[in-house]
Amino acid sequence: MSQKIRGVKGTRDVLPIDTYVKDEDPWVRVGHYQLIEQTARELFPLYGYREARTPILERTELFVRGIGEVTDIVGKEMYTFDDRGESVTMRPENTASLVRAYIEHNVNQQEPETKWWYLGPMFRRERQQRGRYRQFTQIGVEAFGNPGPRIDAEQIEMLERWLRMLGMPFSMHLNTLGDANCRPRYREALQEYLRAHAGDLCEECRKRTETNPIRVLDCKNPKCQEVVAGAPRMQEFLCDACKAHFAAVQEALQRLGVAFVIDPKLVRGLDYYKRTAYEAIATSGLGAQSTLAGGGRYDGLVKELGGPDIPGIGFAAGVERMALLIAQQGRERVTRPVVFIAPLGEAEAARADQLAQQLRAAGIAAEVSFRKANPANQLKRADALGARFALVLGDAELKADRGKLKEMKTGVQHEVSLSALAGEVKKLEGSG
Ligand code: HAM
C-alpha cells in the first residue's frame, strides 16, 4: 500500500458523517456550520447587510498597512509568498480586503452608507489548539459611512441576537480605545508605567512595551496581569469627543436591552481600531480560545488605505468556535430523506428512479435504494438514513399503480397512488 497523505496541520475536514474518533475536539459536522451560516444569511439582511465576496489572495502590502506592521498577525502569522515578483498573502482577515474593494470600486460615490457581510476562510499561522486553527472560517460584517454612535449599538445588538438564536452561552464585552487625539497620550503614559515594571513582565511583553504597549493589557501571563492591574486606564485619558461617543454607545445599548460589561483590558489584536471595541466571549465550553466574535470601529482605515475619509465599524465571528459549542449542545441542521424507495426488481428500479425524480422536483427529499436486498433489509436502511417514509416497490405495486408508504416511526401504512405520489406525500407531511 502507498503511504497515506494527511491534511495540513491546523486545517480541518468538516464532513457529513456521524462518528469520528481521532480528534481532540468534539467532532464538528457540516450541519453545525450550516446552522450558523443559515441564521446569519437570514438575520443580517434584516439590518440592511448585503453579502460581499472578495478574493483569498491579496497584495501583502494591504495587510501590512491595514492591520499594522507590529501586530502578531503581520509579524509572524501570514501565509505570504512571492508570485513571480509580486508578494501576495492569503487573507488573515477580511476587513482590509473589504476596505480595498470599497475603495477600488468607488462605492462611496454610489451610496452614502454601505453595509456588507461576508463568510469565508481566513489563514493565520498560529499554534494549533482547540478553537484555534491555521485555516478557519469567519462570518463578519462591515458598515461604512456612519460615524456612530447609534450604529455601533445596532451592530452589537445584531451580533447578540445572532448568538442568542444559536443558543450560545456568552457575554458581551465593551471598551473604547480612544482616537488619534487622545490615544497617543495614553500610550505614552502606559509605556512609561510598563518600562518601570519591565522586570515583572514576560519577555514578549517587554518587547511589546516598546512596539505595541497597548497589547500588554491582554497578555494572559499571570505576572503580566498583576502589572496590568495597576496600569493607567484608557478611560482616564479619553478626549471629550471619545468620552461622549462611548457614553452614547452605552446608552443606545441600554435602550435596545443589550447586556454588556465594560472591559478596560479589551484591546483587540489589530491596529486599526478607534473608539468602540467589543467582543462576545463564551462563558463556558471553549477553554482558552473563548472569543466567539470581535470587532470595533476603524475610522481612518479607509483613508489610510488610499480612499476618502470614511468611518467604518464591523465584527467577525469564528465559525469553528461557534460550531464546537453547537456540537456540544447536539444541535445540527440535517436534511433527512422524507421518502426512501426500495425497488425489488429491475422494472421496479426504473420506476423508482422516476418517482424519486418527481418527488425531488416537488421539493421532497428522496432516496432510492441501489442495492438488491430483501424488504426487511431495505427497511433497516431506511431507518438508518432517518427517512420518514419507506416505499417498497414490487411487481404488484407497479401493476396497480398503488403502493404502501410506511411511516418509519409508527409503522402505520398509508396506501397511495404512485402517479400522484408527490401530492400524497405532501398531504401526509401536512397532517403529521
Ligand atoms: P479577530 O479578533 O482577529 O478580528 O478575529 C475575529 C474572530 O475570528 C475571533 O474572535 C475568533 O473567533 C476567530 N478567529 C481568529 N483567529 C482564529 C484562529 N486562528 N482559529 C479559529 N478562529 C479564529 C478580525 O479578524 C477583524 N477583521 C474583525 C473585524 C471586522 N473588525 C472590524 N471588522
Side-chain angles (χ1 to χ4, degrees):
M1 254 209 313
S2 306
Q3 219 183 352
K4 281 188 208 160
I5 300 172
R6 299 174 55 90
V8 172
K9 191 167 176 192
T11 65
R12 292 164 68 87
D13 298 312
V14 183
L15 305 172
I17 56 177
D18 290 331
T19 44
Y20 191 81
V21 261
K22 274 199 205 140
D23 197 330
E24 63 196 54
D25 288 347
W27 178 229
V28 173
R29 296 192 289 260
V30 156
H32 302 122
Y33 278 66
Q34 286 171 342
L35 190 68
I36 295 166
E37 292 172 14
Q38 190 64 30
T39 44
R41 271 182 207 291
E42 285 164 14
L43 182 70
F44 295 177
L46 300 183
Y47 291 74
Y49 288 88
R50 295 190 296 161
E51 188 179 357
R53 302 184 188 194
T54 56
I56 285 168
L57 280 185
E58 295 277 0
R59 290 172 209 267
T60 303
E61 193 195 350
L62 173 67
F63 301 116
V64 175
R65 271 169 57 194
I67 301 173
E69 215 152 342
V70 294
T71 56
D72 286 351
I73 297 180
V74 172
K76 50 189 185 198
E77 294 170 358
M78 294 207 300
Y79 285 95
T80 296
F81 59 93
D82 175 72
D83 182 25
R84 302 196 188 180
E86 179 170 35
S87 178
V88 294
T89 293
M90 291 166 74
R91 62 180 181 197
E93 61 109 45
N94 216 22
T95 307
S97 308
L98 288 200
V99 169
R100 186 220 20 91
Y102 179 82
I103 298 169
E104 193 166 333
H105 304 287
N106 298 312
V107 179
N108 70 302
Q109 290 172 17
Q110 299 158 46
E111 48 191 40
E113 288 188 28
T114 295
K115 285 172 165 178
W116 284 345
W117 74 269
Y118 58 85
L119 175 159
M122 310 292 153
F123 303 84
R124 297 182 193 174
R125 202 173 193 294
E126 297 201 76
R127 204 164 45 79
Q128 181 185 333
Q129 67 182 94
R130 179 154 179 250
R132 189 162 74 185
Y133 311 100
R134 293 180 176 175
Q135 174 174 337
F136 57 98
T137 317
Q138 281 187 346
I139 294 183
V141 306
E142 312 294 348
F144 298 103
N146 189 317
R150 279 171 41 229
I151 197 170
D152 305 28
E154 180 191 82
Q155 193 174 81
I156 295 170
E157 191 267 335
M158 182 176 84
L159 173 60
E160 190 213 38
R161 180 171 302 269
W162 182 39
L163 297 179
R164 281 238 213 104
M165 281 165 82
L166 291 164
M168 303 271 137
F170 73 98
S171 71
M172 192 66 80
H173 290 228
L174 182 71
N175 194 17
T176 178
L177 301 173
D179 65 6
N181 217 346
C182 52
R183 191 156 58 195
R185 278 194 303 126
Y186 173 62
R187 191 180 185 276
E188 250 171 57
L190 180 65
Q191 201 166 38
E192 211 170 289
Y193 170 86
L194 294 173
R195 279 183 186 144
H197 293 80
D200 297 326
L201 293 175
C202 72
E203 202 189 317
E204 189 68 19
C205 283
R206 276 203 295 275
K207 267 192 238 154
R208 284 187 188 134
T209 300
E210 300 310 318
T211 56
N212 200 354
I214 289 171
R215 277 315 300 271
V216 175
L217 299 182
D218 74 346
C219 178
K220 300 273 176 328
N221 185 311
K223 286 195 82 182
C224 297
Q225 284 187 355
E226 256 173 56
V227 174
V228 164
R233 296 187 163 205
M234 182 69 230
Q235 291 200 35
E236 296 150 19
F237 288 78
L238 291 179
C239 60
D240 288 345
C242 285
K243 225 183 258 174
H245 191 275
F246 193 40
V249 172
Q250 293 176 55
E251 276 163 32
L253 283 172
Q254 278 152 1
R255 273 201 305 272
L256 296 174
V258 177
F260 59 90
V261 287
I262 306 261
D263 181 354
K265 284 199 274 178
L266 194 170
V267 296
R268 310 284 302 129
L270 306 93
D271 274 359
Y272 47 60
Y273 293 108
K274 305 266 151 56
R275 296 189 170 170
T276 311
Y278 61 100
E279 281 183 354
I281 301 181
T283 44
S284 63
L286 277 184
Q289 299 306 317
S290 57
T291 308
L292 293 172
R297 182 160 280 288
Y298 46 83
D299 305 349
L301 180 63
V302 179
K303 192 167 174 215
E304 175 72 32
L305 291 174
D309 192 6
I310 282 177
I313 181 165
F315 72 75
V319 177
E320 282 72 14
R321 294 180 189 179
M322 296 167 74
L324 282 171
L325 285 180
I326 291 186
Q328 284 167 30
Q329 297 165 357
R331 288 174 65 200
E332 178 178 9
R333 200 189 156 84
V334 252
T335 308
R336 308 233 176 254
V338 176
V339 185
F340 179 82
I341 309 175
L344 297 179
E346 264 172 42
E348 291 91 328
R351 185 76 204 272
D353 292 348
Q354 286 171 338
L355 286 172
Q357 182 190 35
Q358 285 157 13
L359 288 172
R360 293 166 188 147
I364 299 165
E367 285 262 3
V368 203
S369 173
F370 294 111
R371 286 200 210 149
K372 280 212 171 89
N374 61 36
N377 282 338
Q378 298 281 18
L379 288 177
K380 266 193 206 147
R381 171 122 174 91
D383 208 31
L385 284 171
R388 173 140 183 227
F389 302 105
L391 174 68
V392 178
L393 272 192
D395 187 42
E397 281 80 11
L398 238 54
K399 282 204 179 105
D401 191 42
R402 295 192 75 75
K404 287 198 179 107
L405 268 181
K406 178 173 176 185
E407 194 141 358
M408 295 305 293
K409 249 197 209 134
T410 58
V412 174
Q413 312 239 26
H414 306 272
E415 199 180 312
V416 292
S417 142
L418 296 184
S419 308
L421 189 58
E424 302 257 24
V425 171
K426 286 216 159 146
K427 248 192 275 158
L428 286 170
E429 271 197 300
S431 66

